[in-house]
Structures are given as structure tokens and as C-alpha cells.
Amino acid sequence: MPQFPSFSADPKELPATSEGSETAAMAEESAFTRQEQLLRRVQELEEEVKRLQEKLREDKEGAGRRGAPSAPGKVKKRQQRPFNFGAHGRRHVALKIAYLGWGYQGFASQENTSNTIEEKLFEALKKTRLVDDRQTSNYHRCGRTDKGVSAFGQVISLDLRSNLSEGKKLNGHEGDSEGRSEGEEELRYTHILNRVLPPDIRVLAWAPVEPDFSARFSCLKRTYRYFFPCADLDVALMHAAAQSMAIEFPLVLYDCEFENLQWLYDREVQEFNVTHLQQLWANHAVKTQVLHNMLGGLDAAPMATGKSPGNSTPILWGDMKPPLRSQVSGFVEGVKARTYKPLLARPKCEGLEARIRHFVRRGRIATPWGLEVGGDGDEQPPETKRSHCSDAPGSGHATEQPPKRVCVDLE
């Protein structure tokens, strides 16, 4: 086999580096540096892509939150700046109001319910920033109506926010009838309030009044009217009875009369109110006609005249005498008695003096000064519950039961 010369691996024994080897080393180092720079640049670009993708995702989520409806209970209420009533003038005005009271618990505010006309009015007044609160509004009402009672001409008076200058707001009768002065225009009170009031409560008109005007004490007369089907009622007798007593339904506060009060009507508001009432009337009129036709259909039903249907000639229900007229029964509250008894002939509750005499005779109380007990003087007072209980063995102080109010027939 041929012999090859061997070389030592010791660097000390290697020959000196030539010029060609030095150039190759420099090229290698330069290539390594460029590779590091490229890797660094790639990493930077990847980080930039991630950052842009994150930003794009956040923008999409934000747009979705703005477009989607907010979940209940998670809505952040915008902080509202408190309204500065001191920066605005005020004036004393009267408002003419109509309402259908069938669905309300009366006109005046009550502690146990917020379903009253007055509560709805002040909710609208405060929402529109026409008043700050009821206590500082100098508020008066002409009359209060009970549960279920409606009104066509209820009147209230109070101080409302005004756009007019100081001289105009103090004296409502200054200037022209529109409540305007040069360069000034008063707020459209009826338009503002009707936009937020329930549809069955309408402000019809407003009037500028003097600062000392009161809807309650300045009223000259109030007119109430009853609306009911005539049927077989004695209207003349009812008219006489209505002078001394009133019922809740269908009573209506028809009008309130004042001296020198000029109501201002807004044409746009008037058109809206008339349209609304016409639509409401048409709705009920159609329902009424449907019921009328149903009754007409029942009038054609054949009915037996005798107790035995087979042995009697049938007669149409509409031809039966006397005709059945029960329209008014729907307006009468309470349970109808089997036999009618006049009001003044019905049992009456005992008065205070009768109750005092009762307890004096029973020995419960002493005879008050100036009260005549009457009756048999020899009558001994019966044994009281207190004395009876005190004799029982083991009994302490007996608790006397309060007396019950009893109705008696004084015939």
C-alpha cells in the first residue's frame, strides 16, 4: 500500500495563516452578522403584526358594544348636570286640565299609591324642568275628585319656569295675549307637558294670572255632571237627590269658573287633543255598536211564556213585557238587596250620645256632665265583664273588650 505523509494537529506546528484564509474568515463573520440582523428584523415585524391584530380586535369589540343594546342592570347612567333654576325666571300661571279618571285612584296625591292624576302631573312638571319641586311651586288645585271621577275643566295654579323678563313674569296680564314681548317668546307650556303626560291626561290651555291668584280660593263656581243611561230611571228625582249627595262614577268635574281669566290655546296642541279624543271616541263607539248588535241578536231568541215549555206558545225575547232594562245596575256599587227599602227607612247606626248612655247604664263609665241618661231610674246596671272576670279564681286584671259598632232599626 502507498504510504502518505502524516500531519500534526497541534496549532503550534501548523504553518502561518495565508492571505486567502483571512479573507474567508471575514466573509464568514459578515454573513453571520447579516443573519442576526435579519432575525432581529423578523422578530420586530412579528411583534408589530401581533400589536396590530390586537388593536383591530379591540376596535371590533368596541364597535359591537356601541351597536348592541345594553344588558339590563348594566347600563352606565350618564352623569347629568343639575339644572340651575336660579338662572331662569318664574311666573304664576293657571293650567286647564282634562283627564279620564277611570284608571286612577283619584286626583289628589296619596301616601299609599302613586297612581293619581296629581302625581302624574308633577312627574311631567319635574321631568320638563318647569318646576323644581311641589313645595316651592306655590301650587293650588281647584277641586279634588275621587277614584274613577273624570274632569273636563280641572284647574291648577302654580309657578312655572319662564322665558320672559322680570317685569313680564311678575304680572301675567302685561303685554299681549300671547304672553310675548319684543324679542321674547314664552314657553309652550301645553305642548311641553302633553309630550310627557299619559294619553288620558291632557293640558288643554294655560292662562297668565296675578301672583296672588289661587285655583282653589279664586274659583267662583264648580260644575259637576253625571253621565248615565236613562233606562227606566226617574231623572227628575235623581236631579233633586244630586243637589245634596254625590257618587264616584260617572261623576265629572265639568267646569271651573273664574273671573277675568283668559285661556290661551295652542293651535297645534288643540289639533292633537281633538284628534286623540276623536280616535278614542271612535274606538269605543265601534265596541258599543258591536254590543248593541249582540243585544239585537238576543232579542230574536224564542222564549216560552209559561212554566211548561211544551204547552206554551213561544214569544220573542224582544217582545216580552215588561222589557228587561238592567243598564244602570253596572253603576251601582255593592250587593243589590232582594227587596228595596227606602234609604231613610233603613237601619241606622247608633250616635255618640246613644253609645254613651249605653255604657252609663252598664256601669262602664260615669255620667258625663249635662247628659241625661233617661230610662227607668230603678233599673240596676247589669253586671259588667270587668266585675265578672275579677271574681273568677286566679284571674288578674281583666282586659275589657272594646265595644262593637252595631246598626239598629229605629222603627
Side-chain angles (χ1 to χ4, degrees), residues 41-287:
R41 181 58 180 164
V42 168
Q43 291 174 354
E44 291 175 357
L45 290 174
E46 287 179 347
E47 291 177 0
E48 180 69 14
V49 168
K50 288 182 181 179
R51 189 181 64 80
L52 292 174
Q53 288 176 342
E54 245 178 72
K55 187 175 185 306
L56 184 62
R57 185 171 57 253
E58 290 176 359
D59 291 344
K60 286 183 178 179
E61 290 176 358
R65 283 194 296 268
R66 287 191 297 270
S70 301
K74 296 184 179 180
V75 180
K76 291 185 178 179
K77 293 184 178 180
R78 186 175 60 182
Q79 190 71 19
Q80 291 187 353
R81 186 172 56 184
F83 189 83
N84 184 13
F85 283 92
H88 300 269
R90 294 198 302 173
R91 72 181 308 177
H92 199 52
V93 303
L95 298 178
K96 188 175 185 179
I97 302 168
Y99 53 85
L100 302 174
W102 306 323
Y104 295 95
Q105 304 296 317
F107 181 82
S109 298
Q110 303 175 29
E111 294 182 357
N112 58 344
T113 179
S114 61
N115 187 31
T116 63
I117 308 295
E118 209 167 57
E119 285 291 328
K120 302 301 180 183
L121 282 173
F122 271 94
E123 285 179 12
L125 288 166
K126 290 190 283 188
K127 186 175 182 178
T128 55
R129 301 294 192 269
L130 291 179
V131 300
D132 188 7
D133 52 44
R134 177 173 175 171
Q135 288 72 22
T136 60
S137 64
N138 191 20
Y139 170 75
H140 289 88
R141 57 174 175 259
C142 183
R144 55 182 298 165
T145 54
D146 295 330
K147 175 184 177 182
V149 179
S150 302
F152 298 165
Q154 174 71 281
V155 176
I156 64 173
S157 61
L158 72 172
D159 295 338
L160 298 183
R161 176 167 57 90
S162 173
N163 274 350
L164 300 186
S165 59
E166 189 74 15
K168 295 288 180 181
K169 73 180 182 183
L170 291 179
N171 189 348
H173 295 288
E174 282 189 6
D176 56 21
S177 61
E178 294 294 331
R180 300 175 182 175
S181 61
E182 186 178 353
E184 292 180 338
E185 183 176 358
E186 186 53 285
L187 296 172
R188 299 174 63 190
Y189 294 124
T190 56
H191 177 75
I192 293 172
L193 288 171
N194 284 330
R195 291 180 62 186
V196 296
L197 280 170
D200 48 5
I201 304 175
R202 298 287 94 187
V203 180
L204 304 179
W206 72 280
V209 293
E210 300 291 346
D212 58 350
F213 176 86
S214 169
R216 178 184 178 187
F217 299 108
S218 301
C219 180
L220 303 177
K221 182 176 65 174
R222 288 193 295 270
T223 302
Y224 293 85
R225 289 188 179 180
Y226 289 100
F227 292 84
F228 51 86
C230 290
D232 54 352
L233 299 175
D234 189 339
V235 179
L237 185 61
M238 293 176 63
H239 178 73
Q243 307 305 313
S244 58
M245 62 182 297
I247 60 175
E248 293 180 354
F249 185 84
L251 179 66
V252 172
L253 175 56
Y254 194 80
D255 186 37
C256 300
E257 186 176 326
F258 297 87
E259 186 179 5
N260 299 327
L261 196 61
Q262 297 179 353
W263 294 108
L264 306 179
Y265 290 86
D266 188 308
R267 182 180 180 87
E268 183 181 347
V269 174
Q270 180 77 357
E271 181 179 349
F272 177 82
N273 289 338
V274 171
T275 301
H276 172 70
L277 290 177
Q278 286 178 346
Q279 293 173 348
L280 191 61
W281 176 85
N283 189 8
H284 286 281
V286 170
K287 295 177 181 178

Side-chain angles (χ1 to χ4, degrees), residues 258-332:
F258 297 87
E259 186 179 5
N260 299 327
L261 196 61
Q262 297 179 353
W263 294 108
L264 306 179
Y265 290 86
D266 188 308
R267 182 180 180 87
E268 183 181 347
V269 174
Q270 180 77 357
E271 181 179 349
F272 177 82
N273 289 338
V274 171
T275 301
H276 172 70
L277 290 177
Q278 286 178 346
Q279 293 173 348
L280 191 61
W281 176 85
N283 189 8
H284 286 281
V286 170
K287 295 177 181 178
T288 302
Q289 189 62 35
V290 170
L291 293 174
H292 186 268
N293 289 346
M294 290 177 69
L295 289 171
L298 292 176
D299 284 342
M303 290 289 160
T305 55
K307 294 184 178 180
S308 177
N311 301 330
S312 60
T313 304
I315 185 175
L316 297 182
W317 175 261
D319 296 335
M320 294 187 69
K321 303 296 181 180
L324 179 63
R325 293 180 177 177
S326 300
Q327 297 95 327
V328 186
S329 61
F331 301 112
V332 180

